[in-house]
Amino acid sequence: MRPNYSIDDLNIDIKLLELRQGQEWDELKDQIQLTKESLKPMRLIKKGLGEFNIKSSGSKDILSTVLSIGAGYLSSKLVVGKTQSTFKRFLGSMVQLAVANFVTKKTAVDH
């Protein structure tokens, strides 16, 4: 047997559902706005740096790493240049690795 609903009851339920849908839509729009704000590049950078929390000894390690990578890359480019040769690119990669390791060891001894 089917339940007996009056048209007035159905209209009231429809109005309640429309109100609920409006409230949920407003909440969704607010959440989208918050998400857009949190995904802005500057906020992501600030959050990342806040979690990183560089200390004085950490900055020396970072400097050492940057120097070794830069020296390795520069030496690789000086040895290889712009070439299509697979052997020369492989040789450049080996030189880059060797120079980066050398600079890392030298800067580690200095600290």
Side-chain angles (χ1 to χ4, degrees), residues 68-95:
S68 65
I69 291 172
Y73 181 75
L74 182 63
S75 64
S76 172
K77 286 299 174 187
L78 287 174
V79 169
V80 176
K82 292 183 180 180
T83 184
Q84 297 296 325
S85 171
T86 305
F87 178 72
K88 283 188 178 181
R89 285 188 288 159
F90 176 74
L91 179 66
S93 295
M94 292 299 110
V95 168

mmCIF file of all heavy atoms in Angstrom, residues 68-95:
data_model
loop_
_atom_site.group_PDB
_atom_site.id
_atom_site.type_symbol
_atom_site.label_atom_id
_atom_site.label_comp_id
_atom_site.label_asym_id
_atom_site.label_seq_id
_atom_site.Cartn_x
_atom_site.Cartn_y
_atom_site.Cartn_z
ATOM 1 N N SER A 68 78.285 22.502 -4.941
ATOM 2 C CA SER A 68 78.718 21.266 -5.590
ATOM 3 C C SER A 68 77.906 20.974 -6.849
ATOM 4 O O SER A 68 78.453 20.575 -7.878
ATOM 5 C CB SER A 68 78.647 20.089 -4.617
ATOM 6 O OG SER A 68 77.322 19.823 -4.242
ATOM 7 N N ILE A 69 76.616 21.212 -6.781
ATOM 8 C CA ILE A 69 75.787 20.992 -7.972
ATOM 9 C C ILE A 69 76.169 21.980 -9.069
ATOM 10 O O ILE A 69 76.306 21.610 -10.234
ATOM 11 C CB ILE A 69 74.287 21.101 -7.618
ATOM 12 C CG1 ILE A 69 73.867 19.921 -6.750
ATOM 13 C CG2 ILE A 69 73.427 21.165 -8.880
ATOM 14 C CD1 ILE A 69 72.463 20.030 -6.199
ATOM 15 N N GLY A 70 76.349 23.238 -8.702
ATOM 16 C CA GLY A 70 76.712 24.254 -9.687
ATOM 17 C C GLY A 70 78.058 23.976 -10.328
ATOM 18 O O GLY A 70 78.222 24.088 -11.551
ATOM 19 N N ALA A 71 79.047 23.608 -9.522
ATOM 20 C CA ALA A 71 80.377 23.309 -10.058
ATOM 21 C C ALA A 71 80.330 22.085 -10.969
ATOM 22 O O ALA A 71 80.963 22.067 -12.034
ATOM 23 C CB ALA A 71 81.360 23.084 -8.920
ATOM 24 N N GLY A 72 79.586 21.068 -10.576
ATOM 25 C CA GLY A 72 79.458 19.873 -11.401
ATOM 26 C C GLY A 72 78.796 20.176 -12.733
ATOM 27 O O GLY A 72 79.251 19.730 -13.791
ATOM 28 N N TYR A 73 77.738 20.970 -12.695
ATOM 29 C CA TYR A 73 77.030 21.320 -13.922
ATOM 30 C C TYR A 73 77.913 22.155 -14.841
ATOM 31 O O TYR A 73 77.980 21.914 -16.046
ATOM 32 C CB TYR A 73 75.752 22.095 -13.582
ATOM 33 C CG TYR A 73 74.946 22.480 -14.786
ATOM 34 C CD1 TYR A 73 74.192 21.549 -15.469
ATOM 35 C CD2 TYR A 73 74.958 23.793 -15.259
ATOM 36 C CE1 TYR A 73 73.460 21.899 -16.588
ATOM 37 C CE2 TYR A 73 74.226 24.153 -16.373
ATOM 38 C CZ TYR A 73 73.480 23.203 -17.037
ATOM 39 O OH TYR A 73 72.767 23.562 -18.137
ATOM 40 N N LEU A 74 78.615 23.128 -14.271
ATOM 41 C CA LEU A 74 79.497 23.982 -15.067
ATOM 42 C C LEU A 74 80.615 23.170 -15.710
ATOM 43 O O LEU A 74 80.911 23.334 -16.899
ATOM 44 C CB LEU A 74 80.074 25.097 -14.193
ATOM 45 C CG LEU A 74 80.971 26.101 -14.891
ATOM 46 C CD1 LEU A 74 80.192 26.858 -15.950
ATOM 47 C CD2 LEU A 74 81.543 27.073 -13.874
ATOM 48 N N SER A 75 81.219 22.279 -14.952
ATOM 49 C CA SER A 75 82.297 21.461 -15.515
ATOM 50 C C SER A 75 81.773 20.546 -16.613
ATOM 51 O O SER A 75 82.436 20.332 -17.628
ATOM 52 C CB SER A 75 82.972 20.642 -14.414
ATOM 53 O OG SER A 75 82.062 19.719 -13.861
ATOM 54 N N SER A 76 80.574 20.026 -16.434
ATOM 55 C CA SER A 76 79.974 19.176 -17.467
ATOM 56 C C SER A 76 79.759 19.965 -18.752
ATOM 57 O O SER A 76 80.060 19.491 -19.846
ATOM 58 C CB SER A 76 78.644 18.614 -16.972
ATOM 59 O OG SER A 76 77.965 17.954 -18.011
ATOM 60 N N LYS A 77 79.268 21.172 -18.634
ATOM 61 C CA LYS A 77 79.034 21.998 -19.814
ATOM 62 C C LYS A 77 80.350 22.402 -20.479
ATOM 63 O O LYS A 77 80.418 22.509 -21.700
ATOM 64 C CB LYS A 77 78.225 23.253 -19.455
ATOM 65 C CG LYS A 77 76.779 22.952 -19.190
ATOM 66 C CD LYS A 77 76.134 22.366 -20.431
ATOM 67 C CE LYS A 77 74.731 21.922 -20.179
ATOM 68 N NZ LYS A 77 74.146 21.215 -21.291
ATOM 69 N N LEU A 78 81.389 22.640 -19.685
ATOM 70 C CA LEU A 78 82.687 22.992 -20.267
ATOM 71 C C LEU A 78 83.283 21.815 -21.026
ATOM 72 O O LEU A 78 83.891 21.986 -22.083
ATOM 73 C CB LEU A 78 83.650 23.455 -19.180
ATOM 74 C CG LEU A 78 83.373 24.840 -18.588
ATOM 75 C CD1 LEU A 78 84.303 25.115 -17.416
ATOM 76 C CD2 LEU A 78 83.490 25.923 -19.641
ATOM 77 N N VAL A 79 83.140 20.619 -20.502
ATOM 78 C CA VAL A 79 83.719 19.434 -21.147
ATOM 79 C C VAL A 79 82.912 19.031 -22.369
ATOM 80 O O VAL A 79 83.470 18.748 -23.424
ATOM 81 C CB VAL A 79 83.805 18.257 -20.142
ATOM 82 C CG1 VAL A 79 84.148 16.965 -20.845
ATOM 83 C CG2 VAL A 79 84.816 18.573 -19.061
ATOM 84 N N VAL A 80 81.604 19.018 -22.248
ATOM 85 C CA VAL A 80 80.752 18.480 -23.301
ATOM 86 C C VAL A 80 80.328 19.556 -24.287
ATOM 87 O O VAL A 80 80.390 19.355 -25.495
ATOM 88 C CB VAL A 80 79.504 17.800 -22.696
ATOM 89 C CG1 VAL A 80 78.573 17.329 -23.780
ATOM 90 C CG2 VAL A 80 79.921 16.657 -21.819
ATOM 91 N N GLY A 81 79.879 20.682 -23.797
ATOM 92 C CA GLY A 81 79.338 21.698 -24.687
ATOM 93 C C GLY A 81 77.997 21.243 -25.242
ATOM 94 O O GLY A 81 77.248 20.526 -24.601
ATOM 95 N N LYS A 82 77.716 21.653 -26.479
ATOM 96 C CA LYS A 82 76.476 21.222 -27.144
ATOM 97 C C LYS A 82 76.840 20.123 -28.128
ATOM 98 O O LYS A 82 77.379 20.386 -29.185
ATOM 99 C CB LYS A 82 75.829 22.386 -27.878
ATOM 100 C CG LYS A 82 75.294 23.455 -26.962
ATOM 101 C CD LYS A 82 74.605 24.546 -27.749
ATOM 102 C CE LYS A 82 74.069 25.605 -26.815
ATOM 103 N NZ LYS A 82 73.397 26.674 -27.531
ATOM 104 N N THR A 83 76.555 18.915 -27.743
ATOM 105 C CA THR A 83 76.910 17.787 -28.600
ATOM 106 C C THR A 83 75.753 16.809 -28.666
ATOM 107 O O THR A 83 74.924 16.748 -27.764
ATOM 108 C CB THR A 83 78.172 17.080 -28.091
ATOM 109 O OG1 THR A 83 78.523 16.055 -29.012
ATOM 110 C CG2 THR A 83 77.968 16.471 -26.727
ATOM 111 N N GLN A 84 75.731 16.043 -29.731
ATOM 112 C CA GLN A 84 74.733 14.995 -29.885
ATOM 113 C C GLN A 84 75.328 13.623 -29.580
ATOM 114 O O GLN A 84 74.622 12.635 -29.546
ATOM 115 C CB GLN A 84 74.167 15.004 -31.312
ATOM 116 C CG GLN A 84 73.425 16.282 -31.665
ATOM 117 C CD GLN A 84 72.189 16.485 -30.804
ATOM 118 O OE1 GLN A 84 71.521 15.529 -30.438
ATOM 119 N NE2 GLN A 84 71.901 17.731 -30.456
ATOM 120 N N SER A 85 76.629 13.581 -29.349
ATOM 121 C CA SER A 85 77.320 12.322 -29.122
ATOM 122 C C SER A 85 76.936 11.731 -27.760
ATOM 123 O O SER A 85 77.058 12.381 -26.726
ATOM 124 C CB SER A 85 78.834 12.541 -29.168
ATOM 125 O OG SER A 85 79.501 11.376 -28.753
ATOM 126 N N THR A 86 76.487 10.499 -27.777
ATOM 127 C CA THR A 86 76.106 9.820 -26.543
ATOM 128 C C THR A 86 77.310 9.627 -25.637
ATOM 129 O O THR A 86 77.213 9.796 -24.421
ATOM 130 C CB THR A 86 75.468 8.449 -26.863
ATOM 131 O OG1 THR A 86 74.392 8.653 -27.766
ATOM 132 C CG2 THR A 86 74.961 7.781 -25.619
ATOM 133 N N PHE A 87 78.440 9.306 -26.216
ATOM 134 C CA PHE A 87 79.646 9.092 -25.420
ATOM 135 C C PHE A 87 80.063 10.375 -24.714
ATOM 136 O O PHE A 87 80.417 10.360 -23.534
ATOM 137 C CB PHE A 87 80.796 8.575 -26.300
ATOM 138 C CG PHE A 87 82.075 8.394 -25.536
ATOM 139 C CD1 PHE A 87 82.220 7.354 -24.634
ATOM 140 C CD2 PHE A 87 83.127 9.295 -25.696
ATOM 141 C CE1 PHE A 87 83.390 7.195 -23.907
ATOM 142 C CE2 PHE A 87 84.293 9.145 -24.973
ATOM 143 C CZ PHE A 87 84.430 8.090 -24.081
ATOM 144 N N LYS A 88 80.031 11.506 -25.411
ATOM 145 C CA LYS A 88 80.425 12.773 -24.799
ATOM 146 C C LYS A 88 79.449 13.181 -23.695
ATOM 147 O O LYS A 88 79.851 13.703 -22.659
ATOM 148 C CB LYS A 88 80.518 13.876 -25.845
ATOM 149 C CG LYS A 88 81.777 13.815 -26.682
ATOM 150 C CD LYS A 88 81.889 15.033 -27.564
ATOM 151 C CE LYS A 88 83.177 15.007 -28.360
ATOM 152 N NZ LYS A 88 83.312 16.201 -29.208
ATOM 153 N N ARG A 89 78.163 12.922 -23.913
ATOM 154 C CA ARG A 89 77.186 13.236 -22.856
ATOM 155 C C ARG A 89 77.411 12.351 -21.636
ATOM 156 O O ARG A 89 77.316 12.807 -20.502
ATOM 157 C CB ARG A 89 75.771 13.078 -23.383
ATOM 158 C CG ARG A 89 75.368 14.245 -24.307
ATOM 159 C CD ARG A 89 73.922 14.205 -24.674
ATOM 160 N NE ARG A 89 73.728 13.098 -25.614
ATOM 161 C CZ ARG A 89 72.577 12.512 -25.855
ATOM 162 N NH1 ARG A 89 71.498 12.883 -25.235
ATOM 163 N NH2 ARG A 89 72.498 11.523 -26.722
ATOM 164 N N PHE A 90 77.727 11.088 -21.862
ATOM 165 C CA PHE A 90 78.033 10.178 -20.755
ATOM 166 C C PHE A 90 79.284 10.656 -20.024
ATOM 167 O O PHE A 90 79.328 10.694 -18.795
ATOM 168 C CB PHE A 90 78.229 8.748 -21.278
ATOM 169 C CG PHE A 90 78.636 7.776 -20.216
ATOM 170 C CD1 PHE A 90 77.725 7.324 -19.284
ATOM 171 C CD2 PHE A 90 79.948 7.324 -20.134
ATOM 172 C CE1 PHE A 90 78.097 6.429 -18.294
ATOM 173 C CE2 PHE A 90 80.330 6.437 -19.157
ATOM 174 C CZ PHE A 90 79.403 5.979 -18.227
ATOM 175 N N LEU A 91 80.305 11.027 -20.786
ATOM 176 C CA LEU A 91 81.545 11.545 -20.194
ATOM 177 C C LEU A 91 81.259 12.810 -19.380
ATOM 178 O O LEU A 91 81.774 12.972 -18.268
ATOM 179 C CB LEU A 91 82.575 11.830 -21.292
ATOM 180 C CG LEU A 91 83.913 12.385 -20.836
ATOM 181 C CD1 LEU A 91 84.657 11.342 -20.015
ATOM 182 C CD2 LEU A 91 84.743 12.810 -22.037
ATOM 183 N N GLY A 92 80.417 13.676 -19.912
ATOM 184 C CA GLY A 92 80.043 14.897 -19.190
ATOM 185 C C GLY A 92 79.330 14.591 -17.889
ATOM 186 O O GLY A 92 79.566 15.247 -16.869
ATOM 187 N N SER A 93 78.469 13.593 -17.895
ATOM 188 C CA SER A 93 77.762 13.199 -16.669
ATOM 189 C C SER A 93 78.734 12.664 -15.625
ATOM 190 O O SER A 93 78.608 12.953 -14.430
ATOM 191 C CB SER A 93 76.715 12.137 -16.977
ATOM 192 O OG SER A 93 75.717 12.655 -17.805
ATOM 193 N N MET A 94 79.712 11.896 -16.077
ATOM 194 C CA MET A 94 80.710 11.362 -15.143
ATOM 195 C C MET A 94 81.574 12.486 -14.567
ATOM 196 O O MET A 94 81.884 12.501 -13.375
ATOM 197 C CB MET A 94 81.601 10.324 -15.837
ATOM 198 C CG MET A 94 80.889 9.038 -16.225
ATOM 199 S SD MET A 94 80.212 8.188 -14.796
ATOM 200 C CE MET A 94 78.470 8.418 -15.050
ATOM 201 N N VAL A 95 81.957 13.439 -15.403
ATOM 202 C CA VAL A 95 82.732 14.595 -14.925
ATOM 203 C C VAL A 95 81.905 15.398 -13.931
ATOM 204 O O VAL A 95 82.402 15.823 -12.886
ATOM 205 C CB VAL A 95 83.195 15.472 -16.117
ATOM 206 C CG1 VAL A 95 83.743 16.802 -15.633
ATOM 207 C CG2 VAL A 95 84.221 14.738 -16.955
#
